Amino acid sequence: MGDVAKDLTSGTIGGAAQLIVGHPFDTIKVKLQSQPAPLPGQPPKYAGAMDAVKQTLAAEGPRGLYKGMGAPLATVAAFNAVLFTVRGQMEALLRSEPGATLTVGQQVICGAGAGVAVSFLACPTELIKCSRLQAQSVLADSASAGVAVKYGGPMDVARHVLRSEGGVRGLFKGMVPTLAREVPGNAVVFGVYEALKQYMAGGPDTSKLGRGSFIVAGGLAGAAFWLTVYPTDVIKSVIQVDDYKNPKYTGSINAFRRIFASEGLKGLYKGFGPAMARSVPANAACFLAYEVTRSSLG
């Protein structure tokens, strides 16, 4: 099996593990990010992450935590295959000779390149997952939103966007903040992952590391992703949930300014707790599954 096929297979399995472990945390993150600012004197819909979990379970049961998973599950193969395959091909280009270990700086470059590629899959997938499925119960309960729950699933969302929200262009709403998240975020992920592996191995040869090392390095690399780009992710979410006919925001910069003006720095970190709680186990599962599968394939 060639290197591309190995990366495709390993990335797919790693992505599936990441999604299964992390999706409930992601649902809570999106609910907290997308809830409208409360009226003066009124409490927010969710007091915090645990309150969002309790309300979701009470209203929708455990399935509510996995709402919107159909779209990313359907595309997780393509998303992670692209991420790890593009990274692998960039590694091959940067190596001085076959089999040579790359530096941390070179892994940062590989991660940034992979981030560009995956943005074109992440944007439409997350628009469907975030703005139309995970967030719709929040928007339906908002007096200011004036909308009702109206989507039966991912395909229903896609049909609506293509028909009523600008066609294919509508599926790529929020592309700029998606790129602004994925490029630096994946540069940090792969840079931190490689740096931690080399640190634990005591040098550039990481071939003897065990599964525990992959879990630690992968989990901390995922945490580094959100520490780097979380406000950008908030901007992406509010842009994607914004009403098509009567938009609240004119663009990413306008969204940033209005959130910061009305809610301060805290507004740019809504849902940060669930995101960080998700990032460690989800990315640990992803990298462990990737490394184990890649190793088993030779």
Side-chain angles (χ1 to χ4, degrees):
M1 183 182 289
D3 286 340
V4 172
K6 291 175 184 176
D7 284 329
L8 286 169
T9 303
S10 303
T12 299
I13 294 174
Q18 181 184 46
L19 185 67
I20 292 169
V21 172
H23 193 80
F25 295 97
D26 193 54
T27 297
I28 299 303
K29 173 181 73 72
V30 172
K31 284 177 176 285
L32 290 172
Q33 285 180 342
S34 58
Q35 64 176 328
L39 297 173
Q42 297 295 319
K45 177 175 173 58
Y46 302 118
M50 291 308 300
D51 184 49
V53 171
K54 291 175 182 177
Q55 289 196 44
T56 300
L57 290 174
E60 306 171 63
R63 291 182 62 183
L65 295 174
Y66 282 90
K67 182 174 287 186
M69 197 173 80
L73 187 60
T75 58
V76 69
F79 183 94
N80 285 277
V82 168
L83 179 68
F84 284 98
T85 301
V86 171
R87 175 221 183 190
Q89 292 305 295
M90 291 193 68
E91 284 180 328
L93 289 173
L94 293 175
R95 283 194 179 98
S96 58
E97 59 184 37
T101 301
L102 298 185
T103 66
V104 173
Q106 288 173 319
Q107 286 289 357
V108 168
I109 295 172
C110 293
V116 173
V118 299
S119 294
F120 290 90
L121 290 172
C123 186
T125 300
E126 294 191 5
L127 180 135
I128 292 172
K129 173 176 69 74
C130 296
S131 68
R132 302 300 195 267
L133 294 173
Q134 288 177 325
Q136 66 179 339
S137 60
V138 179
L139 299 176
D141 290 339
S142 169
S144 61
V147 297
V149 177
K150 56 183 177 180
Y151 301 114
M155 293 306 297
D156 189 29
V157 176
R159 284 191 293 267
H160 174 83
V161 172
L162 289 171
R163 182 176 62 248
S164 307
E165 298 189 20
V168 174
R169 183 179 178 182
L171 290 174
F172 286 88
K173 183 181 180 181
M175 185 63 184
V176 171
T178 301
L179 280 165
R181 183 193 68 180
E182 292 296 330
V183 175
N186 280 293
V188 167
V189 164
F190 288 109
V192 169
Y193 183 65
E194 185 63 27
L196 289 171
K197 286 201 303 178
Q198 291 189 18
Y199 174 78
M200 289 185 285
D205 183 6
T206 62
S207 61
K208 304 298 184 183
L209 289 177
R211 295 182 179 183
S213 298
F214 298 141
I215 290 173
V216 172
L220 292 177
F225 179 97
W226 289 117
L227 284 170
T228 304
V229 300
Y230 194 81
T232 307
D233 186 65
V234 173
I235 299 301
K236 179 197 70 70
S237 292
V238 298
I239 290 293
Q240 291 188 325
V241 302
D242 203 9
D243 187 71
Y244 176 74
K245 295 181 179 179
N246 299 293
K248 181 178 179 181
Y249 307 109
T250 59
S252 299
I253 299 300
N254 178 252
F256 171 83
R257 289 174 176 170
R258 294 188 64 174
I259 292 172
F260 189 78
S262 63
E263 303 176 62
L265 188 62
K266 184 179 179 180
L268 295 170
Y269 283 89
K270 291 187 294 186
F272 183 69
M276 290 300 290
R278 167 192 177 274
S279 67
V280 175
N283 283 280
C286 177
F287 278 100
L288 176 62
Y290 172 82
E291 295 282 8
V292 170
T293 305
R294 191 70 166 76
S295 178
S296 69
L297 295 175

